[in-house]
Amino acid sequence: MRSYRRRLLVVPVLLCAIALLAARPADAVGDGKGSPSRNGTGTAGDSGLGAQVAQLYEDVTLATERYAAGRQKAEVQRAKALRIEALLERERREIDVLHEDLGRIARAQYRSGGGMPLTAQILLASGPEQLMRGQHVFSQTNLAVTNAIEKSRRAEARLAGDEAKAAAAWQSLEGHTTELARLKKGIEDKLEEARWQLQGKADASVAAGSCPGAVRLDQKETGRTRGWVTPVESYELSAAFGSGGLRWAHRHTGQDFAVPIGTPVRAVRVGRVAKVACGGAFGMEVVVGHADGYYTQYAHLASVAVDQGERVDTGQWIGQSGTTGNSTGPHLHFEVRITPQMGSAVDPVPWLTKRGVTVG
């Protein structure tokens, strides 16, 4: 039987849990069934869509975490499959040796006359002793042949069973991999569609110069922290503070975090919302004032999750990233100021570093 060693082995994960995530209905996409915002200025559809994007974002994050955890389990199963393959190789070699032994016994029996009929042995024997010796050799030879044949049969049966197990293990892994890829892609496709619908609504609001109001997001409980956090959890750094570019008049006044549309944006520290605005170069933005006198700005958002004057906690979701305003692609523009207004910005990276937050 052909070895399955070269078959692709990928991760078996908790497919049932992922399936529940993938099966989440997408009825909130553009259906206008979401709950209205708390300040009454937003539409129900905007709120439902933003909340759906946030939930799908969490679903993808959860699926990715389970996928990563499954990789460790897959390594264990992969090692087990390789051990089975090694066992099969040993069993094949043992069977080859058994076949060689049977051949040697048969040849020796032929040369020694071990296969001679008993009547001929009696007639040709010179005496009882020679006849008894011949009978003893004949019996021993037959026993050796019988044992060798039985051992070979058992080994061949064990080999066939182990090969079937190995084939089933590889085929099962391939089936799990295909199903996992399908489920994960289903979640990602739903998220991508919802993200761009959310961005379209945000662009329309910015063009009209009126914010749709707070989109209340059901944030998972992460525990309170007394420290500081980055404005987004996972990111890649793009334009840095002070860098030049055609998109701003003089120098870049903040630090850009490249993230997909709909990524939850969080307050870096406890504070109070000083400003929620739409329109202009920053598109949809939130400015938060902190107790130490500094202000942090979160710009180019696709939605906001807080109202002006509202108190926010460290790590609380205050909006969702987007690409509204003077922006070339999805990202969060994060700025630190000494006043609520632009023109008083400081470099946010060393500012966060002094507060125990590593950015990079």
Side-chain angles (χ1 to χ4, degrees):
M1 183 177 291
R2 186 179 57 168
S3 172
Y4 293 84
R5 179 178 302 172
R6 295 186 179 179
R7 290 191 179 190
L8 178 63
L9 176 61
V10 193
V11 183
V13 296
L14 304 177
L15 291 176
C16 291
I18 301 288
L20 291 175
L21 298 179
R24 186 183 303 278
D27 57 356
V29 180
D31 64 0
K33 293 181 181 179
S35 58
S37 62
R38 189 163 64 186
N39 64 0
T41 59
T43 66
D46 293 342
S47 179
L49 182 58
Q52 189 212 15
V53 170
Q55 184 59 64
L56 286 170
Y57 181 93
E58 286 299 295
D59 290 350
V60 171
T61 301
L62 181 60
T64 302
E65 290 173 353
R66 286 173 174 164
Y67 183 88
R71 290 187 65 88
Q72 297 179 351
K73 295 182 180 179
E75 287 303 314
V76 175
Q77 189 156 351
R78 181 177 184 274
K80 181 179 179 181
L82 292 177
R83 286 196 300 271
I84 293 176
E85 290 287 349
L87 175 62
L88 293 178
E89 287 298 323
R90 289 198 300 271
E91 290 175 350
R92 293 186 186 104
R93 289 195 298 268
E94 290 173 0
I95 289 174
D96 289 341
V97 171
L98 290 174
H99 287 169
E100 291 176 3
D101 288 344
L102 282 172
R104 282 196 298 270
I105 292 172
R107 289 191 297 271
Q109 191 175 26
Y110 176 79
R111 288 194 301 269
S112 64
M116 187 181 299
L118 178 60
T119 303
Q121 292 184 42
I122 293 173
L123 293 174
L124 296 175
S126 59
E129 291 183 0
Q130 184 180 2
L131 179 61
M132 293 299 294
R133 283 196 301 270
Q135 281 295 304
H136 179 71
V137 171
F138 178 75
S139 298
Q140 289 296 107
T141 301
N142 277 345
L143 181 61
V145 171
T146 301
N147 289 341
I149 291 174
E150 184 62 28
K151 188 175 182 180
S152 177
R153 287 174 178 172
R154 288 197 303 269
E156 288 174 350
R158 186 170 60 251
L159 172 63
D162 288 342
E163 284 182 330
K165 289 179 182 179
W170 289 108
Q171 290 170 356
S172 175
L173 287 174
E174 289 176 353
H176 285 324
T177 299
T178 301
E179 182 66 8
L180 172 63
R182 185 186 69 81
L183 294 172
K184 194 166 184 288
K185 187 176 186 302
I187 299 174
E188 291 172 344
D189 288 347
K190 288 181 183 179
L191 177 59
E192 188 66 13
E193 178 184 0
R195 278 171 169 164
W196 285 106
Q197 289 193 38
L198 179 64
Q199 180 63 41
K201 291 180 179 294
D203 287 336
S205 296
V206 170
S210 60
C211 285
V215 176
R216 300 299 168 180
L217 303 177
D218 185 16
Q219 182 175 0
K220 62 180 180 180
E221 185 63 38
T222 57
R224 301 304 179 189
T225 174
R226 296 184 179 181
W228 298 71
V229 297
T230 53
V232 284
E233 221 172 330
S234 299
Y235 57 85
E236 289 185 9
L237 296 179
S238 49
F241 179 83
S243 59
L246 299 176
R247 306 296 295 182
W248 40 86
H250 301 289
R251 292 288 176 179
H252 194 227
T253 55
Q255 173 65 58
D256 285 351
F257 294 81
V259 289
I261 293 170
T263 301
V265 174
R266 55 188 186 178
V268 297
R269 184 72 165 122
V270 64
R272 191 167 297 278
V273 179
K275 179 183 180 183
V276 174
C278 287
F282 290 119
M284 199 175 292
E285 63 171 316
V286 173
V287 177
V288 177
H290 304 284
D292 59 0
Y294 284 95
Y295 294 83
T296 51
Q297 180 207 29
Y298 312 80
H300 304 307
L301 302 177
S303 75
V304 295
V306 291
D307 293 319
Q308 191 163 313
E310 183 178 337
R311 183 186 181 280
V312 294
D313 293 318
T314 303
Q316 179 180 333
W317 291 351
I318 59 174
Q320 293 169 278
S321 64
T323 182
T324 55
N326 191 5
S327 171
T328 57
H331 73 282
L332 170 70
H333 173 88
F334 175 71
E335 195 167 305
V336 178
R337 302 170 175 173
I338 58 175
T339 70
Q341 291 75 33
M342 62 179 301
S344 60
V346 299
D347 192 340
V349 173
W351 185 85
L352 284 172
T353 301
K354 291 179 181 179
R355 287 157 178 77
V357 178
T358 301
V359 178

